[in-house]
Each structure stands twice: as structure tokens, then as C-alpha cells.
Amino acid sequence: MVMLRSVVRGVGSHLPERVMANAELARLVDTSDEWIVQRTGIRERHIAAEGETTSDLALKAAEAALAAAGLAAGDIDLIVLATSTPDRTFPATATAVQMRLGITHGVAFDLQAVCSGFVFAVATADKFLRSGSHRRALVIGAETFSRILDWTDRTTCVLFGDGAGAMVLEAVEQADDAVPRGVLTTHLRSDGRHTPKLYVDGGPSLTGTVGHLRMEGREVFKHAVGMITDVITDAYAATGTTSADLDWFVPHQANRRIIDASADKLKIPADKVVITVDRHGNTSAASIPLALDVAVRDGRIRPGHLVMLEAMGGGFTWGSALVRW
Ligand code: UT7
């Protein structure tokens, strides 16, 4: 028997040129490098230039992922782009990327799950590819969160950054007695009761404005570790694996303390955890593919490695994806 699985062909990412260090934020709001580093692990983040859009970042990340995969844009028949900061209310940012890549076949759409967006997009693309309906997917997480921050609110503006990451997944037939490669399992959850803890106070239907991000950080923190470890435990149960089998843990990069506490609870050693929050801040849906790209390019993640992705964010939404590279 053979079965279709979604195998990773390549990853890529792109960051805006401008780097904003903590010291610069300390000139805008009542904060300090020391507070930000101690509470979050963040030292700097990238901020999009005026006029630089989510689709600009996504396009460059997609081109880098295609180059890494050795594929042309025309080989792609599915684009799933996760973002909470689309270029426009509509059409989808994914169709802007599709157009700018010169693709006129197949389908492109956006997906909205805030910081869990990339994991949700991987799960969605995987289900399309395994059904046989599509062959090669670009899965993108891209954000310009700087545009929805209240730059006078020190409790939120120090946490986020801009960027994009992309992954090419391809449907490949595998014998069911072979060691499975690609996306092995995905587990998604949501619970809208938590909306007041992390939300944007505007939107097209509610206010006719874009709005600003609002967060009760301590409340989010309280739930994060439990939710993250639950969906990872689900992934272990579905695949008969444990933390000892993992080569790499690539978590959503929101806060170093949340990452360390999750890894600790799951007994994943620190040297197997990919950390980029220090340099990127929280880039929401872009954070996991940005971290993957760093770890692939510096040679840490290699073919055959078992990689756990997880994220938790607004909604709340949370999810895991276990991938054999
Ligand atoms: O990616 C989506 C999910 N989002 C997250 O995962 C974020 C989760 N939450 C967090 O990462 C943390 O809760 C924060 C980093 C947001 C805050 O850290 P905390 O240790 O929970 O701090 P806190 O909110 O309890 O605030 C402690 C103190 C407060 O002062 P008082 O009330 O103790 O006098 C804040 O007013 O720190 C103050 N504070 C600041 N001080 C300097 C809050 N923000 C700042 C700041 N600089 N930027």
C-alpha cells in the first residue's frame, strides 16, 4: 500500500531591513532593555519600512523557499497564507503573492489564527495535499504587526516585530511500511471565550478601523504552557513518539520564559530548542517559519530529523505539528 504525505521541500524567510533594539523603545515608552530582556528574552525586532507590506515580505520569503526547494513558482498549485495583518481587508494577501509570483492556476487564500496561524496553515495544506486535490503548496506566515501596535502602550509595543517565513510542501507517495516522512500529525484547538485576553480593538465590521492590539499579558501567560503541552502530548499519542525522539523543538516565539517553561515541562533539553525571539521578537504567524529557516540554513535541522512545531495565540487558538524533515 502507498499513501500520500506532505513532505517539506524547502523553507525561506525575509525580514525588513530596519532593526529596532530595546534601547530605541526605551526612548518611546517608559521601559528598559533590562526589563524587556528579563521578562521576554527579546533584544531586538525588525520593523517594516513605510509602504512595505505584508505581501512584500511574504513574496520574498516565498521566493527564498522556492529557491531552496529547487522549484519554480509555476510548480505551486496551493498557497495558504497565515496573517492577522493583511495588506487589505480583501482580497486575500495570498492572492497578491500568487499574482506577484506569476501564478494563474490553482488556489490561494488567507487563514486567520493569529500567532497559531502557521501551524493552522500547515495542517490545512497537509489535508489538501493528502487528499490528492493539490500537489505542491506554499505555506506562508507573514505579518506587519508594527501597524496594529499602540506605540504608546509599553505592555504590548515592546513584544512584537515584522517578518515572513515560507515552506514548500509536496504531496509524495510513500509505502506505508517505510519510515514516514513529512507532516506526521497535526492537532488544532480554539476557544473563543478567551478573546478579551488578546484581541484587536477594531475591525471592518465592528468599528470600520484597523484597531490596535490589546493584551492582558499575565492572563495569556497563565494559559500558554498548559495549552502548548496539551497539543504536543496529543501529537506524541497519535504517533507513538515522546520528547526523547525529537531532534528539534521549534515553538512559536512569543516569550523566552514561555518557551523555557514548556520545554522544561515536556523534558525537552535546551540544546534541542530553536530560539529566535531574542532577534525577531514575536512575529505572530511568521515566527515559526522564520525560526525554521534559521535552523535549516545554519545546518541544525537536516533531512530525517523529527521536528515539533507548536503555537498558541489570540482566540485563543493553539496547535502542534510533528514533521519528519
Ligand atoms: O503570541 C501570542 C501570545 N502572547 C504571549 O504569549 C504573551 C504572554 N505574556 C507575556 O509574555 C508576559 O505576560 C509579558 C511579557 C507580556 C509581561 O510579563 P509579566 O512578567 O507577566 O509582567 P506583568 O504583566 O505581570 O507586569 C509586571 C510589571 C507591571 O508593573 P506593576 O503592576 O507590577 O507595578 C507592569 O506595569 O511590569 C510592568 N510593565 C513594564 N515595565 C517596564 C509592563 N510592561 C512593561 C514594560 N517595561 N514594557
Side-chain angles (χ1 to χ4, degrees), residues 29-32 35-36 39-40 114-116 153-160 198 215-222 224 252-258 282 284 312-314 316:
V29 289
D30 182 16
T31 190
S32 63
W35 189 93
I36 301 170
R39 300 287 176 138
T40 72
V114 205
C115 295
S116 309
D153 175 11
R154 70 172 183 173
T155 69
T156 52
C157 76
V158 304
L159 303 173
F160 296 90
L198 177 53
M215 178 165 72
E216 290 176 38
R218 211 177 307 186
E219 284 299 309
V220 180
F221 200 121
K222 256 181 14 200
H252 169 50
Q253 308 282 320
N255 183 320
R256 180 71 200 244
R257 284 155 59 212
I258 294 174
N282 180 349
S284 192
M312 180 266 179
F316 292 153

Side-chain angles (χ1 to χ4, degrees), residues 296-320:
V296 168
R297 279 172 206 273
D298 70 18
R300 274 180 286 175
I301 297 178
R302 295 193 302 275
H305 280 176
L306 192 63
V307 183
M308 179 68 81
L309 316 181
E310 73 60 22
M312 180 266 179
F316 292 153
T317 53
W318 63 108
S320 65

Side-chain angles (χ1 to χ4, degrees), residues 275-295:
I275 303 279
T276 50
V277 69
D278 53 334
R279 285 173 288 157
H280 300 166
N282 180 349
T283 58
S284 192
S287 91
I288 291 174
L290 275 162
L292 282 172
D293 194 39
V294 166

Side-chain angles (χ1 to χ4, degrees), residues 37-317:
V37 171
Q38 196 210 346
R39 300 287 176 138
T40 72
I42 300 167
R43 293 181 184 276
E44 59 187 35
R45 71 287 290 141
H46 291 247
I47 301 292
E50 206 181 319
E52 190 175 31
T53 62
T54 294
S55 70
D56 291 334
L57 305 178
L59 177 67
K60 289 191 173 134
E63 287 170 342
L66 285 169
L71 293 171
D75 296 325
I76 298 296
D77 57 3
L78 172 66
I79 300 176
V80 186
L81 188 150
T83 189
S84 301
T85 46
D87 289 11
R88 304 171 189 274
T89 301
F90 79 77
T93 302
T95 55
V97 173
Q98 180 193 31
M99 177 190 70
R100 293 171 72 184
L101 285 171
I103 304 173
T104 51
H105 61 269
V107 62
F109 58 89
D110 285 1
L111 186 153
Q112 156 65 287
V114 205
C115 295
S116 309
F118 188 75
V119 173
F120 277 53
V122 166
T124 303
D126 177 50
K127 290 176 200 300
F128 272 73
L129 295 179
R130 278 194 292 121
S131 78
S133 67
H134 294 74
R135 185 81 202 283
R136 292 193 194 94
L138 255 174
V139 185
I140 305 172
E143 304 279 13
T144 46
F145 255 53
S146 60
R147 303 270 156 70
I148 56 164
L149 295 177
D150 174 352
W151 287 95
T152 65
D153 175 11
R154 70 172 183 173
T155 69
T156 52
C157 76
V158 304
L159 303 173
F160 296 90
D162 300 335
M167 172 190 272
V168 177
L169 287 176
E170 180 175 47
V172 173
E173 283 191 347
Q174 291 177 36
D176 62 4
D177 57 352
V179 175
R181 274 187 67 215
V183 179
L184 304 184
T185 192
T186 56
H187 299 267
L188 308 183
R189 295 288 311 280
S190 65
D191 185 345
R193 288 175 301 175
H194 297 285
T195 299
K197 301 182 184 92
L198 177 53
Y199 65 101
V200 169
D201 63 7
S205 178
L206 192 66
T207 59
T209 62
V210 170
H212 290 120
L213 182 150
R214 304 293 174 203
M215 178 165 72
E216 290 176 38
R218 211 177 307 186
E219 284 299 309
V220 180
F221 200 121
K222 256 181 14 200
H223 288 83
V225 177
M227 289 176 162
I228 289 164
T229 50
D230 278 357
V231 282
I232 290 175
T233 306
D234 289 346
Y236 289 153
T239 52
T241 54
T242 69
S243 290
D245 299 310
L246 293 187
D247 293 290
W248 298 105
F249 179 42
V250 186
H252 169 50
Q253 308 282 320
N255 183 320
R256 180 71 200 244
R257 284 155 59 212
I258 294 174
I259 296 171
D260 289 348
S262 309
D264 202 46
K265 192 168 165 191
L266 291 158
K267 299 191 168 50
I268 301 171
D271 61 359
K272 290 186 172 181
V273 184
V274 177
I275 303 279
T276 50
V277 69
D278 53 334
R279 285 173 288 157
H280 300 166
N282 180 349
T283 58
S284 192
S287 91
I288 291 174
L290 275 162
L292 282 172
D293 194 39
V294 166
V296 168
R297 279 172 206 273
D298 70 18
R300 274 180 286 175
I301 297 178
R302 295 193 302 275
H305 280 176
L306 192 63
V307 183
M308 179 68 81
L309 316 181
E310 73 60 22
M312 180 266 179
F316 292 153
T317 53

